[in-house]
Amino acid sequence: MAKIVAIAEHRNGKLTDATLELCKAAKELAGALGAEPAVAIMSKDDTLAKEVAKYIPLVLSVTNAALEGYTADGYTQAIKAVVETQDVKGVLVPHSYDGVDYAAKVAMAIGAGIVSNCNKAAVEGGSVVFTRNTYNGKIQEMKKVNTDKFVATFEKGAYDMEAAGGAGTVTAVSADIANVRTKSKGIIETMAGAVDISQAKIIVSGGRGCKDADKYKDVIVSLAQKLGGEYAASRPVVDSGWTDPARQVGQSGKTVAPDLYLAAGISGAIQHVAGMKGSKCIVAINKDPEAPIFNIATYGIVGDLFEVIPAMKEKL
Ligand SMILES: Cc1cc2nc3c(=O)[nH]c(=O)nc-3n(C[C@H](O)[C@H](O)[C@H](O)COP(=O)(O)OP(=O)(O)OC[C@H]3O[C@@H](n4cnc5c(N)ncnc54)[C@H](O)[C@@H]3O)c2cc1C
């Protein structure tokens, strides 16, 4: 049976949330196509293959010393081996830094069409139709590939994470991996204490309405800590040096999709919204009832953030 194969992503010995989201995507798409869902995982051994088997019935495990750290050459050769031996119709890739690095190379290597940065895939008349945002999310475009096989990258939060529960089969796939032109020497955090807000479940984000660095810290940082979440910011806050660039959300910052995104003193410019619209629940606090952020908010509070947030903290 043809397979829809999601590519697992892992860092520091752990599967990323994107892997679990793509397990869901592979199951949904395979179900609609009458295909078999699977995950392919590249690693130096099969420890994580057993872990991912809790989420999907079939895991295709490529183990090789050359796959100890991520490289585009290594992943491309390994995925090509999976596609050539396993009757693969579609390859689903996280739209992450690594994913966008290797996805197009894989598409070239297997002769497949590629659609990047998708937020949905549906089957219409037997063909897969991919949906992706364009013009900073102002419009959505629908795309099909003209090839038999496809590669698609999916943005963070496009699918809910699959819950663990099953006990899938792990099948070894052998791949000759040669001529790897780069070597991964480890991951260096770009700045001391830098966080990956894209993995946070709760984000409290502050905008220019926070007025200055001290007030931003007083209201936004402290509320995030109280909620056990991460704090984040719009671009003017980062440009003003109130917090570090790793915490910027938006087109030129990070894309996040937490369970809760609380936006305080943020107007909701399209470039900011592009990075957080996939959040499951959006709470906006703004003193301007016409602020565009209210158009996408699940709950909107029209008010002064310096009154609303202290009241929230008191309740908490
Ligand atoms: C190429 C490009 C890339 C960009 N990338 C990004 C990006 O990645 N991320 C990003 O955020 N922006 C980005 N921008 C900038 C973006 O266009 C907006 O300028 C920015 O998002 C506005 O930030 P803000 O909402 O904090 O500020 P503002 O638009 O100035 O809004 C401040 C809001 O605070 C409210 N407010 C003020 N005081 C209070 C108060 N006391 N209580 C409650 N509400 C209050 C106001 O009503 C207002 O709505 C980009 C722009 C360009 C051109």
Side-chain angles (χ1 to χ4, degrees), residues 148-163:
D148 270 356
K149 299 184 195 307
F150 63 81
V151 175
T153 71
F154 285 85
E155 67 178 26
K156 177 97 183 51
Y159 288 82
D160 290 339
M161 285 194 279
E162 182 64 2

Side-chain angles (χ1 to χ4, degrees), residues 207-209 211 234-236 248-253 265-269 271-272 285-288 291 303-306:
R208 190 159 19 213
K211 304 285 185 270
S234 66
R235 181 156 141 178
Q248 182 181 318
V249 171
Q251 184 194 328
S252 48
I266 293 178
S267 58
Q271 295 88 354
H272 185 82
I285 307 170
N286 199 302
K287 64 181 184 185
D288 173 8
D304 186 331
L305 71 93
F306 297 108

